[in-house]
């Protein structure tokens, strides 16, 4: 499926689809497309985003990354913070 720390939504999409609830699966997938587009623009952005996601969830104690890696500027930080809030909110609504 996907090698990411954001697994709950993908598992939920798969289960919905497997249960024949395709329209619900598609709706949930469409909700996470901004996250997918953002994190898959470059591997370095993905790594830094997922580190921040795990830090926000309390899984990691820092979001430090090994060098060399593309810099994460203020724009990246702002967009990532917004997307992390949205994906966590999405996860909290799933059963």
């Amino acid at each position: 499926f996907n090698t990411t720390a954001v697994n709950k939504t993908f598992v939920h999409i798969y289960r919905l689809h497997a249960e024949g609830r395709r329209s619900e699966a598609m709706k949930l997938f469409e909700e996470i497309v901004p996250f997918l587009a953002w994190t898959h623009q470059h591997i370095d952005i993905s790594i830094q985003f997922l580190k921040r996601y795990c830090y926000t969830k309390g899984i990691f104690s820092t979001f430090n990354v090994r060098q060399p890696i593309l810099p994460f500027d203020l724009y990246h930080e702002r967009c990532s913070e917004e997307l992390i809030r949205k994906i966590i909110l999405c996860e909290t609504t799933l059963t």
Side-chain angles (χ1 to χ4, degrees):
F1 260 137
N2 192 11
T3 55
T4 179
V6 184
N7 295 309
K8 189 173 184 176
T9 53
F10 291 103
V11 170
H12 203 76
I13 290 166
Y14 175 80
R15 287 185 182 150
L16 288 170
H17 193 273
E19 293 169 3
R21 299 162 59 189
R22 187 174 188 279
S23 64
E24 292 173 69
M26 289 297 297
K27 183 178 179 191
L28 180 55
F29 178 77
E30 289 167 0
E31 188 176 334
I32 67 168
V33 165
F35 147 75
L36 293 171
W38 177 256
T39 60
H40 289 86
Q41 64 181 307
H42 192 281
I43 187 67
D44 289 355
I45 299 302
S46 179
I47 291 167
Q48 294 195 68
F49 176 90
L50 292 171
K51 289 265 189 162
R52 282 168 165 74
Y53 168 83
C54 289
Y55 174 79
T56 302
K57 299 268 300 190
I59 298 168
F60 293 165
S61 59
T62 74
F63 51 79
N64 296 337
V65 294
R66 285 183 235 150
Q67 300 298 321
I69 197 165
L70 289 177
F72 215 65
D73 61 24
L74 293 175
Y75 175 76
H76 292 112
E77 289 178 20
R78 188 189 80 220
C79 290
S80 290
E81 287 173 8
E82 291 171 6
L83 289 169
I84 288 168
R85 279 194 304 272
K86 287 181 180 183
I87 200 74
I88 290 173
L89 178 62
C90 177
E91 290 173 331
T92 61
T93 65
L94 303 176
T95 55

